[in-house]
Amino acid sequence: MAGALLSLRPMQFMERGVIVGSLKAMPRSPISSVLVATVWAFAAAPTVAQIDVPSPKVFSITDRNGVDMVRGSLTMNLGTVAVGGAEGLSNSISVIEGSIDGPYYRHSLAAGINRFFNPGRSLQTLTVTYFGDSIIFTRSSDGGYILKGGRGGTLSLSGGVYTYIAPDGSMASYATALRSWEDNAMANEASLLSVTRPSGEVLTYHYSGTSGVNLRLQSVTSTRGYQIHFEHAGSGPNVVKVEAINNTVEACAPTANVCVLTQEWPTLTLVNNSWVDNLGRVQRSSPDGVIWVSGAQWPVINSGYIWDNEQTAVKTVFDGNGTWSYSYGSKPDPTWFDQTSVNTITDPNGHVTTVKLQWSENFSYDPPRYEPTLVSVTDHLNQTTLYGFQRGTPSWVQYPEGDSETWLLNRKGNVVAYQHKPKLGSGLPTSTVSVTHAD
């Protein structure tokens, strides 16, 4: 396959920034700030202008088949139910393959807070799941929470309820009285209770069962009148049906396990280990948009141990036409001078893409975890793209022709500076924009 196998997917929105006062040179820093090349002038107007500043692109370290080339797991989308269009609700189902823990399902609406804590150690690490994102915080000595990874935002705890403020201003409440070790929500510390969006819309999460025993998400409702309903197998955590309903047309009790409906609504039903929609279709696709033929058994996935048998990863994927092969470089010894390794993708035509990783200790955990981070991707045409990250979000990308983009984020995940550097010889100037945000 020609072209880069890994993707930086475009954002669905642009970050709205406010340029305050006159634009001037920024202090030189690791992002190589220079004089702003563009000047906004307004006759008899305030010295404040609004512009669109590109946000860091949604980043996915996956190839066309959905294989994470850092850790080797494969993500496959199994379908989505939605109601109400852009102002409605939706839930996507995916399965993660290749992990040493075996395949497991994920529902995009399921969310919680998971706590990692080693007895006898002082550091506590919390992973907040929020609409498919994972945001990592550590607890500080004064009882506050420090952002360590993910899209940004703030976290606080009061009266048994965690409050997460997302970069767009949405407020999510997680209740410690609702804990689950099941349901794939990562909620051993707290489960999502509600989300209040800047527009005033409120999403409410409804549960059944007993906290810490068999708690399960039963439905999510919105103040716009929409509902995503989850039907479970008996009293267990396994979801067997998902429905998207307009409650202004037809009602279903939020905590009922089964909805008795007279109209046909978008549904996904688990039948013989496949999710079938209300039109009888089986949908399987990769995050990059590759659609596997309905009814066929592709992709065929084979996994094996990597990194001195520390974990498993996808080794081959057969897509019905050919086989993709994956190899993983040895995990370097922490005492070695060279802390890098190289993974490779070989497509059915023999084209090889190399992925370079940099290993380091992640001090967000106690004891620290020795983990890899993406450094570069070189495709079969020998074109290399370089990457830099800030808390797991791309903060610097240099493209094969030498042009680059840099983003500086604050602790809420908002862009506070952006720089575009054109390729050498283009004759175009480097531009830098600084941004302030209202609290």
Side-chain angles (χ1 to χ4, degrees):
M1 175 183 174
L5 292 172
L6 308 191
S7 60
L8 277 168
R9 301 199 184 99
M11 291 292 283
Q12 300 300 314
F13 61 91
M14 303 288 280
E15 188 81 38
R16 175 65 69 180
V18 180
I19 306 301
V20 179
S22 59
L23 298 176
K24 56 185 179 181
M26 297 175 62
R28 290 198 173 267
S29 68
I31 67 169
S32 303
S33 301
V34 296
L35 281 171
V36 176
T38 308
V39 177
W40 292 264
F42 300 89
T47 57
V48 176
Q50 287 197 336
I51 64 167
D52 286 323
V53 178
S55 292
K57 298 176 176 66
V58 174
F59 186 73
S60 176
I61 311 175
T62 61
D63 73 342
R64 68 181 298 278
N65 297 318
V67 176
D68 180 332
M69 270 310 298
V70 173
R71 299 186 178 276
S73 60
L74 180 146
T75 299
M76 191 188 315
N77 297 329
L78 304 177
T80 299
V81 292
V83 62
E87 295 185 342
L89 288 176
S90 66
N91 179 73
S92 297
I93 305 174
S94 59
V95 63
I96 315 298
E97 301 265 7
S99 168
I100 196 170
D101 298 322
Y104 56 94
Y105 293 115
R106 280 282 174 86
H107 294 268
S108 60
L109 280 179
I113 296 179
N114 206 60
R115 183 170 71 110
F116 177 85
F117 176 66
N118 273 333
R121 306 244 183 200
S122 59
L123 185 64
Q124 295 186 35
T125 303
L126 300 175
T127 299
V128 178
T129 52
Y130 178 79
F131 295 112
D133 288 325
S134 295
I135 308 97
I136 299 173
F137 295 87
T138 56
R139 187 172 183 178
S140 62
S141 58
D142 62 2
Y145 295 90
I146 303 170
L147 178 65
K148 291 294 185 178
R151 61 181 297 186
T154 62
L155 185 69
S156 59
L157 174 63
S158 177
V161 175
Y162 286 94
T163 300
Y164 169 68
I165 306 296
D168 69 352
S170 295
M171 181 177 70
S173 299
Y174 297 77
T176 58
L178 298 171
R179 299 183 181 185
S180 174
W181 285 263
E182 303 290 347
D183 218 16
N184 294 321
M186 295 185 67
N188 69 11
E189 176 70 8
S191 294
L192 183 56
L193 196 61
S194 66
V195 176
T196 302
R197 290 174 168 160
S199 64
E201 180 187 16
V202 178
L203 308 185
T204 302
Y205 280 59
H206 306 271
Y207 297 87
S208 59
T210 304
S211 177
V213 180
N214 62 348
L215 185 74
R216 57 194 181 274
L217 178 61
Q218 204 68 73
S219 71
V220 179
T221 58
S222 77
T223 50
R224 298 184 189 274
Y226 301 111
Q227 179 184 37
I228 299 294
H229 180 267
F230 300 88
E231 182 178 324
H232 298 262
S235 60
N238 295 327
V239 176
V240 295
K241 188 176 184 179
V242 185
E243 299 162 295
I245 310 165
N246 184 339
N247 287 153
T248 65
V249 177
E250 191 162 17
C252 176
T255 56
N257 188 46
V258 178
C259 287
V260 180
L261 303 171
T262 61
Q263 301 193 43
E264 183 175 344
W265 297 100
T267 64
L268 286 170
T269 305
L270 187 60
V271 179
N272 297 325
N273 294 320
S274 294
W275 288 93
V276 183
D277 68 13
N278 50 297
L279 300 178
R281 300 173 300 185
V282 175
Q283 305 176 58
R284 290 192 297 273
S285 63
S286 75
D288 216 39
V290 175
I291 299 175
W292 311 109
V293 179
S294 178
Q297 296 305 306
W298 322 131
V300 176
I301 303 162
N302 289 310
S303 302
Y305 282 97
I306 63 172
W307 299 341
D308 299 324
N309 296 333
E310 182 178 302
Q311 72 176 54
T312 57
V314 172
K315 291 295 187 72
T316 62
V317 173
F318 179 65
D319 63 4
N321 297 307
T323 299
W324 297 70
S325 300
Y326 302 85
S327 67
Y328 305 86
S330 298
K331 181 178 180 179
D333 188 297
T335 62
W336 293 350
F337 176 77
D338 185 4
Q339 298 292 296
T340 62
S341 65
V342 175
N343 297 344
T344 64
I345 308 169
T346 304
D347 71 13
N349 296 319
H351 298 149
V352 178
T353 292
T354 60
V355 181
K356 186 176 182 180
L357 309 177
Q358 176 71 49
W359 291 73
S360 61
E361 291 186 315
N362 183 351
F363 290 95
S364 297
Y365 299 90
D366 189 4
R369 294 179 178 179
Y370 191 54
E371 297 178 335
T373 301
L374 180 67
V375 174
S376 67
V377 177
T378 303
D379 65 17
H380 73 281
L381 299 176
N382 203 34
Q383 296 180 323
T384 298
T385 303
L386 305 176
Y387 299 92
F389 294 86
Q390 181 182 350
R391 300 190 302 264
T393 298
S395 58
W396 176 73
V397 180
Q398 180 175 296
Y399 302 101
E401 292 187 334
D403 52 321
S404 66
E405 292 182 278
T406 301
W407 299 266
L408 182 63
L409 310 178
N410 63 14
R411 66 188 185 94
K412 293 182 178 181
N414 296 317
V415 176
V416 295
Y418 169 74
Q419 180 188 81
H420 176 260
K421 186 175 182 179
K423 61 183 180 182
L424 292 175
S426 68
L428 298 174
T430 295
S431 60
T432 299
V433 177
S434 58
V435 185
T436 62
H437 298 268
D439 291 333

